[in-house]
Amino acid sequence: MRDVAVIGVGCTEFGEHWGTSFRDLFVKAGALALEDAGVTGEKIDALYVGNMSAGRFVEQEHIGALIADYAGLATNHVPSTRVEAACASGGLAFRQAVIAVASGMEDIVVAAGVEKMTDVGTGASVDMLASAADREWEGFAGATFPGLYAMIANDYMHRYPLTREQLAQVAVKNHENGARNPIAQFQNRITVDTVLNSSLVADPLRLFDCSPITDGAAAVVVVPLDRAREFTDSPVRVLASAQASDTIALHDRRDISTMDATVAAGKRAFAQSGLAHKDIDMVEVHDCFTIAEICAIEDLGFCKKGEAGKLTADGVTALNGDIPVNTSGGLKACGHPVGATGIKQIYEIVSQLRGEAGARQVDAEIGMAHNVGGTGATVVVHILGA
Amino acid sequence: MSVSRFWRKIPQRYNLVGTQCTTCGRYFFPPRSLCPDCRRSGKIVDHKFTGEGTVVTYTVIRSASDQFEHTTPYVLAVVELDEGPRLTTQVACTPEEAKIGMRVKSVFRRVAADGESGTIHYGTKFVPVE
């Protein structure tokens, strides 16, 4: 297998883009990434597009072809493939691009993610997101996505000493980081009281425990490492690419509060890279809900089970902490256009490793991305190094 | 949910009929036609559950999809049946009554309806046991 590097990244602002279409969001992110990489369209060998549910959010399928067309690559007949794994679609699209380049099959590959979620109402989007879980046996009973994570939170808080205030600190920290990120959907700072006084969505989770409904797109360009210097002086190496599955339904998990797929993918990523936890300088984890960040930190092995709440409250995961988590603002503050999130995580890590993260810059040479589909049925973990 | 997709599962939804792998003895609800432990060497037969179980975890849904919006707030739980398998279900009790570890039993209830002229979905909910 060949070593792989990221040579360019691009991302739209995340938020409510009522005046911009699904395809225009993608084209903007793709153009930014190609410009950053110094690559022209005719050089692209393949496209992988992460997208969860354009079929329901904008009633458009055949996304691979649509994206290739409006990226101006259809008449080049570039192979373009849509990749779907619910909210892990972006991370998985990146992994497919990495595999394609590592295998020697392709040389210059664009991995992208896009979602346009605000063209439908809240009730409809709640229903669409619930399709990331088991429709026949969870959705049928009235399970919503926040509801499933709320059941994780209640199980966790029943067994471990996590306080409601510590849980709120996750959102406070991520808004603090989002306030320093010009592409973030929410750039406002909040307090623990903001979280605790927001409306209940599914007990014990409140509105400010939840990531928002978001429009956005992100794209990155990957090439073989030995060609990276043709394009850039600051390539970022892909040190590990790992993926794992688990049961689709939360009720079938071995342990409701542990995402075994995160544990498995994390272990594989560490094994592939030969790195240890102390080597990781920053992590982008999948905080679709505050409890998800708590579980992710533990399941990736950055602390023992039951300790992530205290770790967060103590500031260990803050920008100036020992292990900054979600420097971008995470899904909570940066926004969560489901298919784009996994690519935005790569965008954030590359920005940090290149020293281009502005007001949220941390001292980092190695970063990790953790992208979850559903309640943990698919997990993708990448490690990147400067 | 379409009529055919609902109709196909009526035995399971109306009677809490799941399956058992007679090779390893493990019970399944929701039903599985392939044992994840024994895979192709497993032998799967139907099994009707007694319907008694324990709440493993729960939440109170305050914001729901359109189909369930009129029933909020409602208690959603993961229930472990006494035979072992777990399922996601509503528990017909007040938010204040719900707690982890509570004993529950299955009852037959209206679950949802597909719009004004759509199918009414009946199925299993659980109620607290005294």
Side-chain angles (χ1 to χ4, degrees):
Chain A
M1 283 209 305
R2 300 191 291 184
D3 286 331
V4 178
V6 180
I7 57 164
V9 296
C11 196
T12 67
E13 288 178 6
F14 278 13
E16 295 183 358
H17 290 285
W18 289 12
T20 308
S21 71
F22 176 87
R23 64 190 72 185
D24 290 343
L25 280 172
F26 171 84
V27 167
K28 184 178 178 192
L32 287 168
L34 292 186
E35 193 176 321
D36 186 41
V39 169
T40 51
E42 67 273 10
K43 296 264 170 71
I44 297 170
D45 292 323
L47 271 171
Y48 290 91
V49 183
N51 173 253
M52 172 177 164
S53 202
R56 297 197 67 203
F57 283 118
V58 294
E59 298 184 25
Q60 173 73 58
E61 304 288 11
H62 210 175
I63 299 307
L66 175 82
I67 293 303
D69 185 359
Y70 277 77
L73 300 172
T75 48
N76 293 8
H77 311 301
V78 65
S80 179
T81 308
R82 180 225 189 129
V83 177
E84 192 274 320
C87 322
S89 299
L92 200 51
F94 181 68
R95 179 168 153 77
Q96 298 314 304
V98 169
I99 290 170
V101 173
S103 74
M105 198 82 168
E106 318 280 4
D107 269 353
I108 302 178
V109 179
V110 174
V114 55
E115 208 78 52
K116 180 88 186 67
M117 301 171 73
T118 66
D119 285 10
V120 298
T122 305
S125 60
V126 166
D127 184 60
M128 289 168 202
L129 291 169
S131 67
D134 186 332
R135 171 67 65 181
E136 284 194 12
W137 298 106
E138 292 181 307
F140 176 81
T144 61
F145 228 65
L148 293 168
Y149 275 90
M151 291 201 291
I152 296 175
N154 267 339
D155 177 67
Y156 188 103
M157 294 171 88
H158 184 70
R159 295 159 59 196
Y160 303 106
L162 174 72
T163 66
R164 198 32 277 217
E165 288 72 18
Q166 287 172 337
L167 195 54
Q169 296 276 8
V170 173
V172 173
K173 185 242 327 160
N174 289 348
H175 271 254
E176 174 62 38
N177 297 352
R180 298 158 184 253
N181 187 352
I183 66 154
Q185 182 169 9
F186 300 132
Q187 299 180 26
N188 59 320
R189 291 176 173 83
I190 60 168
T191 66
V192 168
D193 280 346
T194 316
V195 183
L196 299 186
N197 291 325
S198 62
S199 57
L200 272 167
V201 174
D203 310 21
L205 300 182
R206 293 173 178 274
L207 188 63
F208 275 77
D209 288 296
C210 309
S211 56
I213 302 290
T214 310
D215 304 325
V220 304
V221 185
V222 297
V223 299
L225 179 64
D226 60 15
R227 287 194 58 190
R229 297 270 170 195
E230 290 175 30
F231 305 95
T232 177
D233 293 332
S234 51
V236 170
R237 293 181 63 178
V238 180
L239 302 174
S241 175
Q243 179 190 350
S245 301
D246 203 344
T247 62
I248 184 84
L250 181 66
H251 55 234
D252 282 329
R253 297 287 157 73
R254 179 190 62 81
D255 177 340
I256 300 268
S257 293
T258 302
M259 284 188 194
D260 282 346
T262 295
V263 175
K267 280 184 178 164
R268 285 172 195 171
F270 278 113
Q272 276 178 30
S273 62
L275 296 167
H277 289 86
K278 63 172 172 42
D279 301 318
I280 307 290
D281 300 315
M282 57 157 300
V283 196
E284 287 284 295
V285 303
H286 197 92
D287 61 319
C288 47
F289 300 93
T290 46
I291 187 66
E293 178 164 321
I294 296 290
C295 292
I297 292 167
E298 295 169 354
D299 297 343
L300 289 169
F302 288 100
C303 68
K304 284 191 192 138
K305 204 73 204 164
E307 291 181 355
K310 183 171 185 303
L311 206 72
T312 304
D314 289 348
V316 177
T317 58
L319 275 187
N320 59 358
D322 285 347
I323 178 74
V325 176
N326 283 328
T327 58
S328 68
L331 286 53
K332 172 69 197 84
C334 193
H336 184 25
V338 281
T341 285
I343 301 289
K344 182 224 68 185
Q345 293 178 327
I346 304 298
Y347 170 89
E348 174 68 11
I349 290 171
V350 169
S351 303
Q352 289 281 359
L353 300 191
R354 287 180 182 169
E356 297 169 356
R360 63 187 193 287
Q361 183 67 49
V362 297
D363 184 15
E365 289 180 2
I366 293 176
M368 175 184 266
H370 162 258
N371 192 197
V372 175
T375 53
T378 300
V379 173
V380 186
V381 173
H382 285 97
I383 302 177
L384 306 180
Chain B
M1 184 178 284
S2 66
V3 173
S4 59
R5 213 176 341 155
F6 178 76
W7 169 86
R8 201 156 55 223
K9 299 289 185 199
I10 279 180
Q12 288 81 19
R13 299 205 187 280
Y14 285 11
N15 287 304
L16 212 59
V17 173
T19 52
Q20 184 189 18
C21 173
T22 54
T23 306
C24 68
R26 191 172 159 191
Y27 293 98
F28 304 106
F29 195 93
R32 287 178 186 264
S33 55
L34 180 79
C35 174
D37 295 330
C38 307
R39 291 193 273 275
R40 282 180 297 155
S41 60
K43 185 176 183 310
I44 298 286
V45 298
D46 283 352
H47 177 83
K48 186 173 188 311
F49 291 93
T50 62
E52 297 210 11
T54 306
V55 169
V56 176
T57 185
Y58 75 96
T59 182
V60 183
I61 304 285
R62 312 274 177 175
S63 174
S65 65
D66 291 340
Q67 211 181 6
F68 289 92
E69 191 56 50
H70 67 288
T71 56
T72 58
Y74 55 90
V75 176
L76 184 81
V78 171
V79 167
E80 182 169 304
L81 299 173
D82 289 347
E83 294 89 341
R86 293 175 171 185
L87 69 153
T88 300
T89 180
Q90 287 185 34
V91 178
C93 67
T94 66
E96 294 73 29
E97 284 176 283
K99 58 177 183 289
I100 290 173
M102 76 193 286
R103 291 287 296 167
V104 290
K105 66 176 182 186
S106 65
V107 290
F108 185 66
R109 289 284 189 275
R110 176 187 165 120
V111 176
D114 265 343
E116 282 184 17
S117 56
T119 324
I120 295 173
H121 297 155
Y122 292 95
T124 302
K125 290 186 185 178
F126 283 71
V127 292
V129 174
E130 297 304 314

